[in-house]
Amino acid sequence: LAYYDKIQAGLQQHEVESLRGGPGERDQTTGMSISAGGIASGSGANSQITYIWKAKGKAVAVVFAGGKLGTKTQRGLQ
């Protein structure tokens, strides 16, 4: 939880990895999005990449957009 709290929006990937002690597992799902009108589009230049760190039923996921941290989520941290 202490590591998770240090992760702030705008950090670069190498900064997050440094805080964590190494790279996470890259989520291999595609960057597909659906608009309000139901039109699918690809990720293009503004692609988002998700990395996940997992251990003993706990997980931290971070999403990078344009090389910087956009969002983070966690499961099982107290």
Side-chain angles (χ1 to χ4, degrees), residues 34-54:
I34 306 293
S35 72
I39 300 171
S41 63
S43 56
N46 293 324
S47 64
Q48 296 182 342
I49 302 171
T50 302
Y51 288 90
I52 303 169
W53 288 265
K54 300 178 195 174

Side-chain angles (χ1 to χ4, degrees), residues 1-66:
L1 185 57
Y3 150 74
Y4 182 79
D5 290 340
K6 291 180 182 180
I7 300 172
Q8 299 297 320
L11 289 178
Q12 295 184 358
Q13 183 176 343
H14 71 89
E15 294 173 304
V16 173
E17 290 175 349
S18 177
L19 287 170
R20 182 59 186 108
E25 177 183 331
R26 184 174 176 169
D27 184 12
Q28 295 299 319
T29 58
T30 61
M32 187 65 67
S33 63
I34 306 293
S35 72
I39 300 171
S41 63
S43 56
N46 293 324
S47 64
Q48 296 182 342
I49 302 171
T50 302
Y51 288 90
I52 303 169
W53 288 265
K54 300 178 195 174
K56 300 178 183 177
K58 299 174 183 170
V60 171
V62 296
V63 179
F64 293 96

